Amino acid sequence: MKRKHLIMAFTALVAIAGVYALGRWSAMPASTAEANASRAASSAAPASGTAVASTERVKGGPLPTPTTPLGTSFADLQARANAGDVDAARRLVHDLDRCSRLRATEWNNAGTTRTLLDHKTEGMSAAQLRTYQVLLDAMDVREQSAGRNRELCAGVDDKMLDTLVANIAQAARLGDADARACYLGQGPLYNVRSLLEHPGVLQSYRRDATAMIESGVASGDWRVVDLLQRAYEPGAEGLLAGLLGPDPAQHYRYLKLYRLGAEPHRASQLDRQIAAVAANLPPEQIYDADRWAQTTFKENFSGPSTTTTPPGWDACTF
């Protein structure tokens, strides 16, 4: 039993580290040598709470190499994203997101590593020692990953990190599906600290969400459908739910569309949900919603909805 508890304890430590490493909002302090990069961020980035002027997609030149430090490439990527280069916008979001997580990742990796190294190995059985070594190896892999992120994030400061939500919005406007799902699902709440400093971004979210919903459905994005069916459900919480408001008829409509693309193992559960919602709707609304769902599914969608959006899926995984 002691061996089992030891293994479980170590496994839990790594799992906890993984969870907390998802902390979104961290920043690297700017040094004197990084002052120019900081000024580039404040001049190139769109103002919080305002729409970026260009949402027309343009074809840009080659992007910086993947190993180029973001502090060096930020101003160029930001200018290209603002001008409508969707590839640059996508790259900028991905790099900023990695850098925004770095401090929390390093903090939790260090704590978990200390806990493992402080544990006495005397008296461990062979199986316990093997488990202990596996956990140390896992932490070494985490540290190597953090090291690569430190290289990427060289020269990145708070002002650059503060543009993450605005850049997610711009990438979403330009049609990037990952950014669109994140912006609809989280919006300015993805960086609560920035939201408190720039509350005007909520108006940008209100203005942009409708167009993003339309583009998501038109392009057959199951993530947008799942976000909508949950947001329209009475009692739903979150920014998108607050924007749209409860609407059983719309909830039924998008739930029905989602069900048409569902895999067999999820079908019975969704059928029960649909039946429960339909019990409170007039027949004409059910008929209209069923017809709309069938038409929209046939014209816009392919692939299983439930594979794209498994239970607990994260709208902001870049």
Side-chain angles (χ1 to χ4, degrees):
M1 290 298 292
K2 289 184 178 180
R3 182 176 68 184
K4 179 179 179 182
H5 290 163
L6 178 62
I7 294 172
M8 293 174 64
F10 283 139
T11 304
L13 284 171
V14 174
I16 291 170
V19 171
Y20 280 98
L22 295 178
R24 304 289 186 185
W25 300 108
S26 57
M28 297 176 64
S31 65
T32 302
E34 296 160 356
N36 290 336
S38 176
R39 285 193 292 270
S42 60
S43 61
S48 299
T50 62
V52 180
S54 174
T55 56
E56 181 182 353
R57 296 177 63 158
V58 299
K59 187 73 173 179
L63 295 174
T65 62
T67 57
T68 302
L70 182 56
T72 301
S73 62
F74 178 87
D76 177 56
L77 290 173
Q78 184 70 80
R80 290 171 58 174
N82 290 354
D85 186 337
V86 66
D87 293 329
R90 182 185 300 113
R91 168 71 174 275
L92 185 55
V93 167
H94 284 227
D95 286 358
L96 283 170
D97 190 62
R98 286 173 63 185
C99 294
S100 74
R101 302 169 187 246
L102 180 60
R103 179 179 292 172
T105 299
E106 291 184 317
W107 176 266
N108 288 286
N109 282 356
T112 303
T113 300
R114 282 195 302 270
T115 300
L116 286 172
L117 293 178
D118 289 346
H119 196 89
K120 304 300 182 183
T121 58
E122 291 83 354
M124 284 188 180
S125 68
Q128 290 172 331
L129 287 171
R130 285 194 296 272
T131 300
Y132 185 73
Q133 186 60 53
V134 167
L135 295 173
L136 289 176
D137 291 344
M139 291 310 304
D140 184 59
V141 171
R142 287 178 177 274
E143 176 55 33
Q144 292 178 29
S145 177
R148 289 190 293 272
N149 285 340
R150 281 192 292 271
E151 294 175 0
L152 170 71
C153 300
V156 174
D157 62 23
D158 289 356
K159 289 184 178 180
M160 295 180 189
L161 293 175
D162 196 44
T163 68
L164 177 56
V165 169
N167 279 302
I168 292 173
Q170 173 66 347
R173 295 185 196 105
L174 294 173
D176 181 70
D178 291 340
R180 180 176 58 214
C182 179
Y183 193 66
L184 284 175
Q186 293 289 331
L189 294 180
Y190 195 57
N191 182 354
V192 177
R193 184 190 313 167
S194 179
L195 171 59
L196 292 173
E197 295 174 357
H198 310 289
V201 295
L202 289 171
Q203 295 303 318
S204 296
Y205 180 82
R206 180 187 297 275
R207 180 177 58 248
D208 292 331
T210 299
M212 292 179 189
I213 288 170
E214 292 174 354
S215 68
V217 174
S219 63
D221 191 339
W222 285 119
R223 291 173 295 184
V224 173
V225 174
D226 193 31
L227 288 170
L228 289 171
Q229 69 88 7
R230 289 189 281 126
Y232 276 119
E233 184 176 8
E237 298 180 350
L239 193 59
L240 186 59
L243 174 67
L244 298 176
D247 190 327
Q250 291 292 329
H251 174 50
Y252 177 90
R253 176 180 295 238
Y254 286 102
L255 184 60
K256 183 71 174 185
L257 174 57
Y258 187 81
R259 166 64 181 87
L260 292 175
E263 297 168 289
H265 71 278
R266 293 279 301 278
S268 58
Q269 175 194 358
L270 291 169
D271 286 339
R272 288 192 295 270
Q273 289 180 252
I274 288 172
V277 178
N280 297 306
L281 295 176
E284 59 272 18
Q285 284 189 336
I286 296 174
Y287 174 78
D288 289 343
D290 287 346
R291 185 173 60 178
W292 175 87
Q294 289 283 355
T295 301
T296 304
F297 176 74
K298 182 178 179 180
E299 293 180 351
N300 298 344
F301 287 85
S302 63
S305 59
T306 48
T307 296
T308 307
T309 58
W313 68 280
D314 185 355
C316 291
T317 300
F318 294 108

